[in-house]
């Protein structure tokens, strides 16, 4: 209902909701301002939508074609929609954005589009700078324009705190049949990012980390004063505009990034076609430990640059994960998504897509209310993941590392981690306690108290002891350390859970339409038959933990009784052992991979099997086979590999790949939180 009403955040929230429930979500904009369109690119990027499930009908220059009297234009809108609908299970349609058009005209056009497409309407009302009475008036106008029967729900966006307090009372005075949810104003979402500023001005990044370009721009200041006076005007997320030869301003801006006395400057726009002296850039990098503040250069003069920069409007853009997380967290906090789902009657699909599964991870992790320690606080990926976890309120976190260094780096990265505790193992009251405890546990292995003290300064040992002593629920590490370094402390004193003889691992393989479990692909080199059976049982339990019905395929190079040899016999013995220990589990082996996944092959090789052709848990005979297979499937089938997930320990400890992305780390933290919740149940 009008430009700048916040349709983007609502569209993002609806597509997120749909992606959790159906396998093929579509997104459609009947009219866009221009191509490329920000909202199309945002949704396409976030949810990896193929071309057949996303699109538009007209650009704003052609908008007369959708006027009330134009039948051909409406036919085109319907035809383009039907194309997307035919390839999708559910389609979100975002209304028009006719900047400059009168509201009645735009409401009429959108009402006609919704009518012709046969769609329920979620009306988005702009509450920015409106009183509660003005918001109610806008709601009534929208209801009358669309028709009350056509409206499914109403979302009022960008509501000022004062209006938010009195809105419920104002709404009670009108007769509304549909739910109304109000979303508070979130200034960060309206701020342009440094990258948006760069693209809008055609600026060149002459120095700085490209990852820093996602930082928000809260204020733009022309830096023409002397440095002492300039410091009085530094605000959070400020961008300075200054000629490229003002080395004093550039150095001062860079120094604020590591200062505790002043807010950190987001970046510097250097104007006039002047580039900063390379010696100044090198000096800043040396002062900042190798990194430097983003320096963006433009050819325009300071005045024109300031005018153009202040005209740049913020938007949630593809690739700006920070804003996407803020937006999704914000809509989850203010809109009852379960109620909205019921209102629009979204049916749950039997297919499990990666997006669905990852959402389930986050939701179940949030419900577990776990406390997880991340020992590698010096790693940027860990800090970025912690920021995302905090914004989505997934679980409670504690970081290990030098407190000043960790917080300084977080500030440099533009992350908000003020409420995340940082513990330094080298300077902490728990160190002596942990050393004594480790000495008690491992003294019989020749560990002296002095050696125990030295060992406990290691972040992996310190973090694991926090888990062992119940100070946190679980640990996630390995971004900077080997698997052996990460899990060795757990093997020493956390130990395996009763009934389990071996610690093993699985990868959750997120294919386009299902989730499979692969084990063991990371820990055990060549397990014997007994160990292989243990791995199979643990993997089946892990699968069930994540809502995957376990149907176990004990993999070999032969199927059924066709093969002989030591390797096949090992798998056959392991299969029999699983049958003995857990008769409730569906298990088949020895079985080849094709017979495990392909129904046609299964019918010919094992026609009576309940597992063949429908396996969900794949147990590899050795690490060589398992590790190579999961990587082959990951690369060739485009699967998302989540893990390794360690299993068999008394308390959850999980290992990260040293090549882990921020998303990988977030997923592993969520998995670990779910393991905590399962242990409590």
């Amino acid at each position: 209902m009008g430009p700048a009403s916040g349709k983007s955040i609502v569209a993002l929230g609806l597509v997120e909701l749909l992606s959790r429930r159906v396998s093929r979500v579509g997104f459609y904009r009947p009219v866009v301002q221009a191509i490329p369109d920000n909202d199309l690119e945002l949704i396409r990027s976030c949810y990896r939508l193929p071309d057949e499930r996303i699109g538009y009908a007209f650009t704003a220059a052609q908008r007369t074609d959708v006027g009330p009297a134009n039948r051909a234009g409406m036919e085109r809108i319907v035809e383009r929609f039907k194309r997307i609908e035919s390839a999708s299970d559910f389609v979100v349609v975002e209304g028009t954005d006719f900047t400059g058009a009168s509201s009645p005209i735009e409401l009429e056009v959108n009402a006609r589009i919704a009518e012709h497409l046969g769609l329920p309407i979620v009306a988005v009302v702009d509450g920015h700078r409106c009183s509660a009475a003005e918001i109610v008036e806008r709601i009534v106008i929208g209801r009358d324009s669309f028709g009350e029967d056509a409206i499914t729900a109403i979302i009022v966006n960008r509501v000022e705190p004062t209006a938010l307090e009195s809105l419920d009372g104002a709404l009670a005075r009108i007769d509304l049949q549909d739910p109304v949810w109000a979303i508070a104003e979130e200034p960060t979402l309206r701020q342009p990012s440094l990258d948006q500023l760069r693209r809008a001005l055609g600026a060149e990044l002459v120095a700085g980390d490209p990852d820093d370009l996602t930082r928000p721009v809260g204020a733009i200041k022309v830096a023409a004063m002397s440095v002492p006076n300039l410091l009085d005007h530094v605000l959070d997320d400020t961008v300075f505009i200054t000629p490229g030869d003002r080395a004093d301003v550039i150095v001062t801006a860079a120094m604020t990034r590591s200062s505790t006395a002043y807010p950190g400057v987001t970046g510097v726009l250097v104007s006039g076609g002047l580039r900063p002296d390379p010696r100044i850039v090198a000096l800043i990098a040396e002062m900042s430990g190798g990194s430097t503040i983003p320096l963006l250069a433009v050819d325009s003069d300071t005045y024109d640059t300031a005018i153009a920069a202040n005209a740049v409007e913020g938007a949630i853009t593809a690739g700006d994960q920070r804003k996407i997380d803020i937006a999704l967290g914000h809509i989850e906090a203010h809109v009852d998504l379960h109620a909205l789902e019921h209102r629009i009657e979204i049916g749950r699909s039997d297919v499990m897509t990666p997006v669905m599964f990852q959402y389930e991870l986050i939701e179940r992790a949030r419900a577990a209310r776990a406390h997880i320690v991340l020992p590698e606080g010096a790693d940027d990926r860990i800090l970025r993941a912690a920021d995302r976890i905090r914004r989505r309120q997934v679980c409670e976190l504690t970081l290990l590392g030098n407190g000043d260094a960790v917080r300084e780096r977080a500030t440099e990265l533009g992350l908000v981690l003020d409420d995340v505790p940082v513990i330094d193992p080298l300077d902490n009251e728990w160190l002596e306690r942990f050393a004594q405890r480790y000495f008690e546990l491992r003294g019989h292995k020749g560990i002296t108290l002095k050696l125990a003290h030295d060992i406990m300064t290691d972040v992996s040992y310190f973090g694991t002891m926090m888990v062992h002593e119940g100070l946190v629920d679980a640990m996630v590490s390995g971004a900077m350390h080997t698997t052996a370094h990460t899990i060795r402390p757990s093997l020493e004193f956390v130990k395996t859970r009763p009934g389990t003889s071996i610690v093993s691992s699985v990868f959750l393989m997120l294919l386009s339409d299902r989730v499979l479990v692969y084990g063991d692909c990371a820990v055990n080199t060549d397990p014997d038959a007994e160990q292989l059976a243990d791995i199979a049982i643990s993997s089946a339990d892990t699968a069930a933990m994540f809502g995957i019905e376990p149907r176990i395929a004990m993999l070999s190079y032969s199927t059924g009784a066709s093969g002989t040899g030591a390797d096949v016999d090992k798998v056959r013995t392991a299969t029999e052992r699983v049958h003995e220990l857990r008769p409730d589990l569906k298990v088949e082996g020895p079985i080849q991979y094709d017979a495990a996944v392909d129904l046609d092959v299964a019918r010919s090789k094992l026609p009576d099997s309940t597992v063949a052709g429908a396996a969900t848990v794949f147990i590899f005979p050795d690490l060589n086979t398992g590790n190579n297979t999961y990587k082959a499937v990951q690369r060739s089938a485009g699967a998302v590999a989540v893990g390794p997930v360690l299993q068999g320990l008394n308390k959850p400890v999980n290992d990260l790949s040293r090549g882990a992305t921020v998303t990988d780390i977030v997923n592993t933290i969520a998995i670990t939180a779910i393991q905590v919740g399962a242990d409590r149940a």
Side-chain angles (χ1 to χ4, degrees):
M1 293 170 62
S5 60
K7 292 191 291 290
S8 297
I9 183 176
V10 176
L12 184 68
L14 284 172
V15 175
E16 174 77 8
L17 175 63
L18 283 162
S19 298
R20 305 166 181 177
R21 299 292 185 262
V22 302
S23 59
R24 301 181 302 160
V25 64
F27 184 69
Y28 180 55
R29 296 206 68 192
V31 183
V32 298
Q33 284 295 315
I35 293 297
D37 174 71
N38 181 77
D39 289 6
L40 287 176
E41 295 308 309
L42 170 66
I43 300 297
R44 186 196 306 273
S45 171
C46 282
Y47 301 98
R48 302 177 184 176
L49 297 191
D51 289 344
E52 64 268 19
R53 288 197 270 125
I54 189 168
Y56 71 101
F58 296 100
T59 63
Q62 304 165 311
R63 74 186 189 200
T64 53
D65 292 335
V66 299
N70 192 305
R71 179 183 177 89
M74 192 59 67
E75 286 178 348
R76 179 173 173 179
I77 286 175
V78 173
E79 185 268 333
R80 296 290 175 89
F81 170 77
K82 288 297 182 181
R83 286 188 196 176
I84 294 172
E85 185 185 42
S86 66
S88 309
D89 299 318
F90 209 104
V91 183
V92 174
V93 180
E94 184 179 328
T96 62
D97 210 7
F98 294 167
T99 302
S102 68
S103 292
I105 293 175
E106 184 161 21
L107 288 172
E108 182 182 359
V109 169
N110 280 286
R112 290 187 70 249
I113 291 173
E115 180 184 0
H116 282 280
L117 299 183
L119 303 177
I121 295 170
V122 177
V124 182
V125 178
D126 183 14
H128 185 51
R129 295 179 178 175
C130 292
S131 66
E134 291 170 328
I135 290 172
V136 170
E137 183 180 353
R138 292 187 175 191
I139 290 174
V140 171
I141 293 172
R143 180 190 62 181
D144 294 343
S145 299
F146 289 116
E148 190 166 2
D149 292 340
I151 294 179
T152 296
I154 298 168
I155 296 176
V156 187
N157 200 17
R158 305 186 64 197
V159 182
E160 304 290 344
T162 53
L164 199 60
E165 294 171 2
S166 55
L167 185 57
D168 286 344
L171 288 170
R173 291 190 285 273
I174 61 173
D175 184 22
L176 273 181
Q177 303 300 312
D178 301 304
V180 179
W181 291 291
I183 302 177
E185 175 75 290
E186 174 51 66
T188 304
L189 296 177
R190 309 301 303 176
Q191 296 171 347
S193 67
L194 200 55
D195 191 55
Q196 287 177 269
L197 202 65
R198 178 190 64 80
R199 287 186 280 110
L201 273 58
E204 175 192 356
L205 178 65
V206 296
D209 186 349
D211 287 340
D212 268 0
L213 296 180
T214 61
R215 294 175 67 131
V217 178
I220 297 172
K221 302 278 188 179
V222 174
M225 300 177 176
S226 64
V227 167
N229 292 320
L230 179 65
L231 289 172
D232 293 332
H233 295 270
V234 179
L235 304 173
D236 282 328
D237 303 323
T238 297
V239 168
F240 283 158
I241 301 176
T242 195
D245 58 357
R246 286 292 303 272
D248 56 337
V249 172
I250 296 170
V251 172
T252 299
M255 291 175 66
T256 66
R257 298 286 290 270
S258 56
S259 171
T260 58
Y262 295 94
V265 173
T266 290
V268 180
L269 270 171
V270 293
S271 59
L274 301 171
R275 300 298 187 262
D277 191 305
R279 293 171 296 179
I280 297 298
V281 175
L283 176 63
I284 293 171
E286 184 179 350
M287 292 165 47
S288 308
S291 63
T292 186
I293 189 171
L295 303 178
L296 302 174
V298 294
D299 293 330
S300 54
D301 61 32
T302 299
Y303 176 80
D304 289 338
T305 301
I307 296 295
N310 277 286
V312 178
E313 295 184 358
I316 308 170
T317 57
D320 192 342
Q321 193 60 55
R322 184 198 318 261
K323 273 193 181 180
I324 293 168
D325 288 337
I326 292 172
L328 290 175
H330 207 53
I331 202 167
E332 288 167 352
H334 291 87
V335 177
D336 186 341
L337 294 178
H338 293 292
L340 182 57
E341 175 183 352
H342 178 73
R343 295 285 298 181
I344 59 180
E345 298 179 351
I346 300 171
R348 182 179 288 272
S349 171
D350 293 331
V351 175
M352 178 63 72
T353 69
V355 172
M356 289 178 184
F357 187 77
Q358 288 170 310
Y359 164 73
E360 294 289 345
L361 288 183
I362 296 298
E363 284 292 286
R364 290 185 61 193
R366 189 181 284 126
R369 304 182 67 83
H371 186 178
I372 296 173
V373 61
L374 307 177
E376 299 163 318
D379 190 288
D380 287 359
R381 294 166 297 168
I382 295 293
L383 297 179
R384 295 185 189 278
D387 182 67
R388 289 180 61 178
I389 290 290
R390 188 198 65 82
R391 292 186 187 280
R392 301 296 297 274
Q393 300 180 333
V394 176
C395 64
E396 186 179 351
L397 295 175
T398 292
L399 295 167
L400 300 187
N402 179 277
D404 291 340
V406 170
R407 298 207 182 279
E408 181 179 329
R409 184 56 182 160
T411 301
E412 290 173 353
L413 295 172
L415 309 175
V416 181
L417 298 175
D418 296 343
D419 54 350
V420 177
V422 182
I423 294 174
D424 188 351
L426 299 175
D427 183 22
N428 186 269
E429 61 183 359
W430 291 337
L431 180 58
E432 297 302 326
R433 167 184 164 183
F434 287 1
Q436 180 64 39
R437 184 68 175 129
Y438 186 67
F439 170 68
E440 294 168 0
L441 293 168
R442 302 292 292 175
H444 67 287
K445 294 289 188 179
I447 300 296
T448 64
L449 186 58
K450 183 180 184 305
L451 181 58
H453 186 279
D454 292 342
I455 289 173
M456 277 299 135
T457 61
D458 181 282
V459 292
S460 293
Y461 275 88
F462 193 96
T464 306
M465 188 60 77
M466 290 179 70
V467 176
H468 183 267
E469 293 295 283
L471 298 168
V472 295
D473 299 310
M475 182 181 86
V476 173
S477 191
M480 300 172 65
H481 298 90
T482 65
T483 295
H485 189 96
T486 299
I487 69 174
R488 185 182 298 114
S490 302
L491 297 176
E492 288 183 6
F493 52 87
V494 172
K495 304 291 188 179
T496 57
R497 63 176 65 244
T500 303
S501 64
I502 190 172
V503 175
S504 59
S505 73
V506 295
F507 279 90
L508 304 176
M509 302 298 293
L510 280 55
L511 279 66
S512 61
D513 59 351
R514 76 194 81 172
V515 180
L516 304 177
V517 177
Y518 284 10
D520 179 352
C521 305
V523 177
N524 297 289
T525 305
D526 189 17
D528 60 26
E530 191 75 22
Q531 293 170 329
L532 203 61
D534 201 327
I535 292 169
I537 292 170
S538 292
S539 301
D541 290 341
T542 298
M545 184 188 302
F546 292 100
I548 303 164
E549 181 185 354
R551 294 186 291 272
I552 309 168
M554 306 293 288
L555 296 173
S556 177
Y557 59 76
S558 71
T559 295
S562 64
T564 60
D567 291 338
V568 179
D569 290 342
K570 179 177 79 169
V571 175
R572 185 174 291 113
T573 301
T575 304
E576 293 169 355
R577 186 63 174 155
V578 174
H579 279 300
E580 293 171 8
L581 294 173
R582 290 286 299 275
D584 59 303
L585 293 175
K586 296 176 181 177
V587 59
E588 187 69 64
I591 185 172
Q592 293 162 288
Y593 193 95
D594 59 346
V597 298
D598 191 303
L599 277 172
D600 291 334
V601 177
R603 290 190 187 102
S604 76
K605 292 188 175 184
L606 292 171
D608 299 323
S609 174
T610 59
V611 173
T616 57
V617 178
F618 297 78
I619 305 302
F620 297 93
D622 54 64
L623 185 61
N624 182 51
T625 307
N627 192 270
N628 279 292
T629 302
Y630 105 77
K631 289 178 178 177
V633 173
Q634 182 184 30
R635 300 297 180 186
S636 61
V640 177
V642 179
V645 181
L646 295 184
Q647 51 192 21
L649 288 166
N650 262 324
K651 293 185 178 182
V653 171
N654 275 312
D655 177 43
L656 297 165
S657 163
R658 277 173 286 175
T661 65
V662 173
T663 298
D664 293 335
I665 297 168
V666 169
N667 286 339
T668 302
I669 292 171
I671 283 170
T672 307
I674 293 169
Q675 289 177 310
V676 171
D679 286 348
R680 290 173 180 165

